[in-house]
Amino acid sequence: MSENERPEGDRIAKLLARAGVASRREIERMIEDRRIKIGEDFVTSPATFLTSLNGVTVDGKPVAKPERTRLFAFHKPTGLLTAERDFSGRPTIYAALRNALPQGTPRMMPVGRLDMNTEGLLLLTNDGGLKRQMELPSSEIPRTYRARTFGDISQEQLETLIEGVEVDGMRYDRIDANLERRTGQNQWIELTLTEGKNREVRRVLEHFGLKVNRLIRTAYGPFGLADLPRGAAVEIGKEDVERFRASLAS
């Protein structure tokens, strides 16, 4: 389709993501499940172009006008899934967020995931477009973790990760890893990476024969965990969010 043939407006999946309904991928699933309508008609394609969300409903409810982009830092405890619901009944972050977020906060979506046994910084936003941008490997946003491990490893071995590593057929890009302190066969290791593949830190450290017995994400881009209490959330300032977003576009 040429630029002249392109319909006016934006794809409905993009508009709904921007409005904080869900991520684009989740919206595509919602369309498949016939949960989204324009007037009385079900939307059949996420590529439907619209100039506004007037008349669009999700599960029978009109879509509210997009709020300003908001970003929260949440200190995720262990034992919680980064998911909206779990069909086997395991607890999710949303149970904790009901108490952690201010009353009246719009629906927040996690930026990336932390697995059930990983704790630390989890960013949350109401802007599906920002969420997607922050998750893309091409954005090269650094994520920093601290891992407590059992086993034997040297700083020299960790420094080989700066060239990347392949584990069980999976290639991981460069990781900046540093040995912090050691007590017997336990040591803390700090790792900074930009890909954020599923269970990347655990798999890479296990590749060295280490057992990870605690894993904490301490930073995501310019945003740090600092002294935020476990289970608490704090909103990141509007100016900081705008400055960060501008840096992604540059």
Side-chain angles (χ1 to χ4, degrees):
M1 181 186 297
S2 70
E3 190 65 28
N4 291 334
E5 294 172 327
R6 184 183 184 276
E8 188 179 354
D10 287 303
R11 295 170 186 258
I12 189 171
K14 180 178 180 180
L15 291 174
L16 288 171
R18 190 184 298 156
V21 172
S23 69
R24 292 195 199 185
R25 186 175 299 174
E26 290 169 332
I27 289 164
E28 289 173 4
R29 285 196 290 265
M30 293 166 77
I31 289 171
E32 289 178 5
D33 293 339
R34 296 170 66 85
R35 295 173 57 191
I36 301 175
K37 284 184 174 182
I38 301 174
E40 296 301 317
D41 300 321
F42 285 106
V43 177
T44 58
S45 170
T48 302
F49 278 78
L50 297 174
T51 56
S52 77
L53 290 172
N54 291 339
V56 176
T57 58
V58 177
D59 296 331
K61 298 177 182 178
V63 179
K65 292 181 179 178
E67 290 202 12
R68 68 172 175 85
T69 295
R70 299 177 71 178
L71 189 66
F72 282 81
F74 171 57
H75 187 159
K76 176 193 170 296
T78 57
L80 297 179
L81 286 177
T82 306
E84 189 161 358
R85 64 181 66 86
D86 180 65
F87 295 109
S88 60
R90 291 175 296 178
T92 75
I93 58 169
Y94 285 92
L97 290 174
R98 280 196 291 270
N99 296 321
L101 295 174
Q103 193 170 3
T105 301
R107 180 183 181 276
M108 306 302 291
M109 298 171 283
V111 177
R113 292 177 178 270
L114 292 177
D115 67 39
M116 194 165 189
N117 295 317
T118 301
E119 59 192 287
L121 179 65
L122 183 64
L123 296 176
L124 306 152
T125 183
N126 62 330
D127 187 321
L130 177 61
K131 167 184 163 68
R132 181 174 180 274
Q133 198 173 12
M134 292 181 70
E135 291 173 344
L136 287 172
S138 58
S139 296
E140 296 187 340
I141 299 172
R143 291 92 148 156
T144 299
Y145 295 80
R146 293 184 70 235
R148 187 177 66 195
T149 64
F150 177 82
D152 188 40
I153 194 165
S154 66
Q155 179 62 37
E156 288 73 23
Q157 286 175 288
L158 290 173
E159 285 175 2
T160 64
L161 293 173
I162 207 70
E163 303 296 332
V165 64
E166 186 172 310
V167 180
D168 297 331
M170 175 68 74
R171 179 71 189 175
Y172 298 101
D173 282 348
R174 57 176 289 152
I175 299 172
D176 184 6
N178 293 284
L179 195 59
E180 287 190 334
R181 66 176 187 269
R182 189 194 309 271
T183 306
Q185 281 195 290
N186 281 290
Q187 57 267 312
W188 282 96
I189 300 170
E190 184 182 74
L191 306 97
T192 299
L193 49 101
T194 58
E195 275 191 310
K197 288 179 178 173
N198 185 36
R199 298 179 63 82
E200 179 171 349
V201 173
R202 293 182 186 276
R203 286 174 173 165
V204 167
L205 293 177
E206 288 167 2
H207 174 68
F208 284 112
L210 299 173
K211 180 180 179 181
V212 179
N213 47 46
R214 191 175 180 191
L215 183 59
I216 309 166
R217 183 157 67 195
T218 58
Y220 197 116
F223 309 114
L225 186 63
D227 56 358
L228 184 65
R230 187 181 289 111
V234 64
E235 185 162 11
I236 294 167
K238 180 181 177 182
E239 290 185 358
D240 291 330
V241 174
E242 290 176 350
R243 189 181 304 115
F244 172 66
R245 192 162 208 169
S247 73
L248 293 179
S250 62

